[in-house]
Amino acid sequence: YYPSSIARIENYFFSTFTNGKVIKFDLEGKIYWEKNLNDLIKTPIKIIDGNLIILTTNKIFFIDSLTSETIWHYTYDNNLPNQVLGGKLLDYNHLLFFILPNTKIGEIDIIFGEKNNNLFSNINLINNINNSFDIINIYKGIISYFDQNNFLTSIDIKNNNLLLNNFEINEVFSSIFFNNSLFVINHNLFLKSYNILNGNLYWKIDLNNILKKNQKIVKIASFNDFLYIFIDSGKVLELNSKNGEIISIK
């Protein structure tokens, strides 16, 4: 078995292993506690309020970092295959949003340690069989889920209001959220920027003379009115953020 993630709180480190073991240790290698959750762990640890959030195949745990005691945990069962890449986990204020490796979606109020049965927990996924490459994002109180590189759902967290419901974006093979936008590259090598609030297209540009098929976006950064699109081939596109005009290619 091998380590699946590591996190740090002050001078202490916490490592999870794929066989379900969790260890607390320091820089000198002294082990303070070990805990076995008896299940696969492939999702990175998340630190919240000085304690640990850990996802296993079908459970979510909130664990006291000092004592290793389980503060609370919940089980979400289904009969679907587990995702090889693990789950996904985001937090916003006192709320925790997650997708377990068995594709179950949930929302928990961290203060009370209670499940929330809000819109996010009841997203109607188009295909539950393989969600490894689905992406989620939170920006200024809006949580967005891009299902199967095809369907965009956005929810106003504070008002529990559905803004977009399975808004369809076709022929996508690469996607990434950045601020209030979803950026996609389609099979025709067009880069498009969509508004996550209403699905409107901000702009699109033709990358046929710049990229090759199947090259993907790995990161986006911004500075002033410029966007920097990092491609897995090593190229960096500098764009005007307002209209997508290409300023330079590096």
Side-chain angles (χ1 to χ4, degrees):
Y1 299 100
Y2 56 89
S4 53
S5 73
I6 189 168
R8 180 177 180 175
I9 301 176
E10 297 178 347
N11 296 320
Y12 302 99
F13 296 85
F14 302 84
S15 181
T16 56
F17 292 78
T18 53
N19 66 344
K21 183 178 287 188
V22 187
I23 297 177
K24 177 182 180 179
F25 62 97
D26 61 21
L27 279 173
E28 297 179 351
K30 179 181 177 180
I31 294 176
Y32 290 85
W33 54 253
E34 296 184 22
K35 188 179 183 72
N36 198 335
L37 300 180
N38 300 306
D39 197 359
L40 290 173
I41 302 176
K42 292 193 175 181
T43 309
I45 303 170
K46 192 170 187 65
I47 305 297
I48 293 182
D49 296 335
N51 294 310
L52 316 179
I53 296 287
I54 297 177
L55 303 185
T56 62
T57 300
N58 65 341
K59 295 181 177 69
I60 178 168
F61 291 85
F62 192 37
I63 294 174
D64 189 309
S65 64
L66 294 176
T67 67
S68 81
E69 294 298 317
T70 298
I71 300 170
W72 51 254
H73 83 278
Y74 290 101
T75 301
Y76 296 76
D77 287 323
N78 68 20
N79 297 317
L80 295 174
N82 296 323
Q83 306 305 305
V84 175
L85 300 179
K88 298 175 176 65
L89 187 60
L90 293 175
D91 66 286
Y92 177 76
N93 292 338
H94 61 285
L95 299 175
L96 190 67
F97 303 89
F98 56 91
I99 308 168
L100 289 170
N102 69 353
T103 73
K104 292 291 288 186
I105 294 176
E107 176 185 339
I108 291 176
D109 187 312
I110 302 169
I111 294 176
F112 298 103
E114 296 177 350
K115 290 182 180 180
N116 278 354
N117 190 30
N118 288 337
L119 286 172
F120 179 79
S121 303
N122 295 286
I123 287 178
N124 182 27
L125 299 181
I126 298 302
N127 183 349
N128 275 314
I129 299 301
N130 184 3
N131 299 104
S132 294
F133 300 103
D134 293 0
I135 55 176
I136 58 175
N137 181 69
I138 296 177
Y139 179 73
K140 291 187 176 180
I142 306 299
I143 186 164
S144 299
Y145 188 115
F146 195 41
D147 182 18
Q148 302 292 306
N149 264 345
N150 200 176
F151 301 96
L152 176 62
T153 295
S154 291
I155 297 167
D156 179 339
I157 297 171
K158 181 179 179 180
N159 298 305
N160 197 35
N161 182 36
L162 187 63
L163 305 177
L164 281 178
N165 184 23
N166 286 328
F167 177 79
E168 191 168 1
I169 303 174
N170 292 316
E171 300 295 321
V172 174
F173 73 86
S174 176
S175 59
I176 189 169
F177 286 109
F178 185 73
N179 293 343
N180 66 336
S181 301
L182 173 66
F183 292 83
V184 305
I185 298 177
N186 66 17
H187 291 288
N188 295 319
L189 290 181
F190 277 85
L191 171 64
K192 298 181 179 182
S193 173
Y194 289 92
N195 188 326
I196 61 172
L197 301 179
N198 52 31
N200 289 343
L201 183 67
Y202 284 124
W203 46 256
K204 69 175 180 178
I205 55 173
D206 187 347
L207 300 181
N208 273 279
N209 295 323
I210 300 170
L211 300 187
K212 296 180 180 179
K213 290 286 187 182
N214 299 322
Q215 291 183 343
K216 297 182 178 182
I217 305 171
V218 294
K219 183 180 179 181
I220 297 180
S222 66
F223 181 73
N224 293 333
D225 290 331
F226 301 100
L227 287 174
Y228 298 89
I229 313 290
F230 295 81
I231 306 298
D232 60 4
S233 64
K235 286 185 177 180
V236 181
L237 312 181
E238 182 183 14
L239 309 179
N240 182 313
S241 62
K242 295 181 179 178
N243 57 24
E245 179 186 357
I246 298 175
I247 307 301
S248 68
I249 304 169
K250 299 176 182 179

